[in-house]
Amino acid sequence: MMTALLILGPFICVWAIAAIFYYMGRRRANQLRLAEISFSQSVQNRFTSIVVNRPKTWLAVKSRNSEDVARSIGLIDLQSYSSAGGLSETNRDQIFVSPPVNGWVVVFGEGLPDPEADIDECFKFLIDMSDRLGHLQYFHGNHTLGHHAWVKVIERQVVRAYAWVGETVWNQGATTIAEKKSGMRAFDYFEEDSDSYINWETVRRNVEQLPLLASIWSIDPVVLLDMSVRVKPGWIGRFSVKRIGKN
């Protein structure tokens, strides 16, 4: 028996190591495929007038545990949810927390703060959430009004923030390489351009390129429509107290 173990032991170890590498390779391949879906869908949105079914406002949280995210942001009445249809079917008071994808969890719903209503409330909310969750990103795009925002906060420190709601109400941190590569431009405070058409073209491009920026910084919510993600459970809940300045 001992002799057999000594003979077979090395082969068993080799097979075990091979199985581990195979699993890791499959997992990495799936991660890359989802990243490609997110990026390619974001790029496609640049060349089409059809607006992909994305939430108007969403958070991207660096985490691999969606339930932990849901509880950390203070949601109550939590229910497991496994349909990407939640991109458009959440009720007004519901907050959807996606399953983790490539190390990111997407949070969206009309209960999230709206920079159009109260930029101070938005700032306080993001700092509070970063204190609980660490690294999070905030995106907002209103195609009708052109209002938009993108924010990155890590451990309560605002790395980059920009919000435009008819005028610039928040511009903090240096312009990132991702913004430049996406062709986006942030107006300075009180900046005025004599050519209103150029102004509006810049605003329109910023809103259209927002998903592309999200896919570079973290993840574009469009990836939640992929079948491999739709079968995974996420969470739906609501804030215990309605937030002011919500969408």
Side-chain angles (χ1 to χ4, degrees):
M1 182 67 179
M2 184 62 66
T3 302
L5 287 176
L6 291 174
I7 296 175
L8 296 176
F11 292 99
I12 295 174
C13 289
V14 169
W15 277 105
I17 293 173
I20 292 172
F21 275 100
Y22 175 77
Y23 169 77
M24 293 175 63
R26 286 290 300 273
R27 181 178 178 182
R28 180 56 179 165
N30 188 53
Q31 289 177 339
L32 291 174
R33 186 179 66 83
L34 291 175
E36 288 177 0
I37 292 172
S38 177
F39 184 79
S40 63
Q41 289 284 1
S42 298
V43 171
Q44 288 175 19
N45 194 36
R46 300 168 58 189
F47 304 106
T48 179
S49 60
I50 299 176
V51 179
V52 176
N53 185 24
R54 294 182 180 86
K56 184 174 72 172
T57 307
W58 73 91
L59 297 174
V61 181
K62 194 171 184 61
S63 174
R64 295 186 180 277
N65 189 325
S66 56
E67 183 178 3
D68 180 63
V69 170
R71 297 189 183 282
S72 294
I73 65 178
L75 297 186
I76 62 173
D77 299 333
L78 283 177
Q79 298 179 9
S80 181
Y81 189 70
S82 61
S83 171
L87 284 173
S88 60
E89 294 175 1
T90 51
N91 295 330
R92 291 185 63 85
D93 293 330
Q94 286 182 322
I95 298 295
F96 177 81
V97 182
S98 79
V101 180
N102 290 358
W104 294 94
V105 172
V106 178
V107 180
F108 60 88
E110 294 194 24
L112 294 178
D114 190 336
E116 303 169 21
D118 190 335
I119 192 62
D120 291 329
E121 167 71 7
C122 188
F123 170 80
K124 293 174 184 177
F125 173 84
L126 294 177
I127 295 300
D128 182 35
M129 291 301 103
S130 178
D131 188 40
R132 305 181 192 186
L133 296 166
H135 183 168
L136 65 85
Q137 299 167 12
Y138 172 88
F139 301 94
H140 173 81
N142 186 321
H143 285 265
T144 303
L145 300 176
H147 297 174
H148 54 278
W150 56 85
V151 183
K152 180 187 292 188
V153 187
I154 302 177
E155 303 295 342
R156 293 181 58 88
Q157 299 299 311
V158 178
V159 177
R160 176 64 174 134
Y162 178 70
W164 188 91
V165 292
E167 62 180 350
T168 300
V169 293
W170 192 4
N171 191 352
Q172 183 175 351
T175 302
T176 63
I177 295 176
E179 291 170 60
K180 295 177 181 178
K181 287 187 174 182
S182 301
M184 305 170 84
R185 181 197 166 195
F187 293 107
D188 290 329
Y189 292 111
F190 310 113
E191 179 179 347
E192 293 185 3
D193 195 308
S194 58
D195 192 332
S196 59
Y197 175 77
I198 293 178
N199 258 351
W200 178 249
E201 281 299 298
T202 299
V203 167
R204 181 186 60 79
R205 183 170 61 252
N206 282 353
V207 176
E208 289 182 350
Q209 298 296 81
L210 193 64
L212 181 60
L213 176 65
S215 70
I216 297 174
W217 272 10
S218 52
I219 185 174
D220 180 354
V222 74
V223 76
L224 301 179
L225 298 174
D226 186 76
M227 187 57 65
S228 65
V229 178
R230 294 179 64 177
V231 297
K232 298 179 180 179
W235 296 88
I236 273 186
R238 60 182 178 85
F239 290 117
S240 57
V241 178
K242 291 185 178 180
R243 307 199 59 84
I244 61 174
K246 70 177 185 177
N247 289 304

